[in-house]
Amino acid sequence: MQPVSFFSDQERCEEFVKAVRRWGSMYPTPYAVAHSAADRQLADFPRFGRDDETCERHGTDTVYELFWLNIFGPKLVESIGRERMLSTPAHLVEELPNGSILLVLRPSAADFASEEARVAQARAHVHLRPDLDFDTVLRTLKDRSAALAPVEPRFHPDVAPFLFRLPDEFSISERQRKIAELNAFRPLAPEEWLPAALPSDVENPERIVESYGDLSEGLVAALHTKVPSLMEETAESLTDLDFYFWRENFPERYTRELIDEHTAPALGAYLGGVLVRRLGGRWVPRKKLEESQVRVGKRVWLPFLRARRYMQSRQALLDYSLTQFFREAERHRG
């Protein structure tokens, strides 16, 4: 698979068409296309809105969509009408030796989403399917072009390192829409902090802080093969964790018991440890885990409380990201 821009050169497109012509002549096929993968997804190729059983039973029994390059097998050609198909308004319409027809809409595949290309696509489609309405077909094609129009990422700076990783996790046809959604996303201002520390209420603070280290090491041991940067305890490690938990849909994939009793406490300890190591913070342990604090500058931060809120849902991973929490603490360090 090549990016569509690969086909911006018309000579390259011509060579590709020649290769397809040879292939289509040697190996008869009922139906084949070459087109933008993203646009094919939006067209629901090859189902075209049908369920699997219908697709299996009927195959491609009509021209549901028309793409940049199309090979129609003899059965489909006869169904539409050979003369009608050969008279399609297109850049190239050619009958192959085995009775198939090769149809290429335009000289180049790269500008498939342009106004001119969409008009040509709609006109040719309606020619093959007189039962379709030209304006309706064209409007659908233009909507697809709008959905694929490039959107420049303008993510909130506090979560940008995390958000930049998300679009590639969606199908190629959804990515621009997702970028637009993420551009509009504004994380909640962190509330897991206090202007003054609650005094430690434990008998042996050093031992409790050691237990936080044990919790943190447990998280590293469990996830270091999937998130190797955990060993480094950096801001980037937190972003890697954000992405890992989001990609795995961790809060909704695993049991609430596992998360509340094991993952969230270990994550809170790790988050607090990063504040200590990278921002010069100091633990202020408390009997109640969610009240345990890390003093950084003039504020004290509540990493265990943040971790619990963070692990409530997949959306919470965005709303309460570790990346943003660290950035906010870093901003108030001095």
Side-chain angles (χ1 to χ4, degrees):
M1 182 181 294
Q2 296 287 352
V4 171
S5 58
F6 179 83
F7 294 97
S8 58
D9 181 74
Q10 187 170 334
E11 184 176 343
R12 183 174 287 156
C13 290
E14 291 172 357
E15 291 300 316
F16 180 79
V17 171
K18 288 179 183 177
V20 171
R21 180 187 292 114
R22 290 193 296 270
W23 173 83
S25 299
M26 294 174 61
Y27 303 102
T29 180
Y31 178 59
V33 305
H35 192 71
S36 156
D39 201 43
R40 291 203 316 268
Q41 288 177 6
L42 290 177
D44 193 28
F45 172 88
R47 290 181 176 81
F48 303 115
R50 302 172 297 167
D51 58 40
D52 291 342
E53 182 181 349
T54 302
C55 290
E56 183 71 23
R57 185 168 61 250
H58 297 292
T60 304
D61 53 354
T62 189
V63 181
Y64 290 99
E65 289 280 349
L66 202 60
F67 298 106
W68 172 67
L69 181 148
N70 312 260
I71 292 182
F72 301 111
K75 183 177 179 181
L76 187 53
V77 170
E78 297 307 323
S79 172
I80 297 298
R82 187 169 296 274
E83 292 306 315
R84 175 176 290 278
M85 192 164 280
L86 288 171
S87 63
T88 303
H91 170 66
L92 172 68
V93 184
E94 179 180 326
E95 190 168 8
L96 301 181
N98 56 28
S100 299
I101 287 180
L102 169 65
L103 189 154
V104 181
L105 276 177
R106 288 170 55 78
S108 170
D111 67 343
F112 73 93
S114 68
E115 173 81 14
E116 184 179 354
R118 290 307 198 186
V119 170
Q121 188 176 3
R123 184 178 294 119
H125 194 187
V126 171
H127 171 83
L128 294 173
R129 290 278 306 277
D131 57 306
L132 299 178
D133 176 68
F134 174 81
D135 291 336
T136 301
V137 172
L138 182 59
R139 184 165 54 251
T140 299
L141 294 174
K142 287 184 175 181
D143 287 346
R144 292 200 332 230
S145 292
L148 297 175
V151 177
E152 182 180 355
R154 298 181 182 276
F155 304 140
H156 190 285
D158 281 0
V159 287
F162 175 25
L163 300 190
F164 267 113
R165 304 187 188 189
L166 301 189
D168 286 347
E169 296 302 305
F170 295 92
S171 65
I172 191 170
S173 61
E174 293 183 280
R175 288 176 191 169
Q176 303 309 314
R177 178 173 61 84
K178 289 298 179 182
I179 291 172
E181 290 178 5
L182 294 172
N183 280 346
F185 173 70
R186 292 295 177 266
L188 305 171
E191 297 179 347
E192 299 83 11
W193 63 276
L194 299 170
L198 298 173
S200 179
D201 59 356
V202 299
E203 293 183 2
N204 190 337
E206 292 77 13
R207 179 66 192 92
I208 298 300
V209 171
E210 286 180 10
S211 72
Y212 297 164
D214 293 339
L215 282 173
S216 178
E217 288 177 8
L219 183 77
V220 173
L223 298 181
H224 74 279
T225 57
K226 298 176 180 178
V227 189
S229 67
L230 281 183
M231 306 287 289
E232 301 168 11
E233 294 185 335
T234 63
E236 291 73 22
S237 306
L238 297 177
T239 299
D240 290 344
L241 273 174
D242 281 334
F243 181 59
Y244 167 76
F245 285 128
W246 183 90
R247 185 180 57 195
E248 295 294 314
N249 193 12
F250 198 97
E252 295 167 28
R253 181 178 177 184
Y254 292 93
T255 66
R256 186 49 43 189
E257 179 182 6
L258 171 70
I259 291 171
D260 291 345
E261 295 185 10
H262 299 282
T263 309
L267 183 60
Y270 183 85
L271 176 58
V274 174
L275 298 184
V276 169
R277 182 172 181 181
R278 299 301 172 184
L279 299 182
R282 181 174 61 83
W283 278 108
V284 182
R286 299 273 296 177
K287 290 179 180 178
K288 187 175 181 180
L289 200 59
E290 290 184 5
E291 292 180 357
S292 293
Q293 309 140 60
V294 175
R295 176 183 290 280
V296 177
K298 296 181 179 180
R299 286 188 176 186
V300 291
W301 301 87
L302 304 168
F304 290 103
L305 178 59
R306 180 72 172 195
R308 180 180 65 79
R309 290 174 173 172
Y310 173 78
M311 275 291 168
Q312 292 305 301
S313 67
R314 197 180 204 191
Q315 180 60 41
L317 299 177
L318 294 172
D319 294 336
Y320 300 98
S321 73
L322 310 179
T323 299
Q324 185 208 12
F325 189 73
F326 181 88
R327 289 287 184 91
E328 186 77 359
E330 184 179 41
R331 204 163 22 242
H332 290 86
R333 174 172 47 176

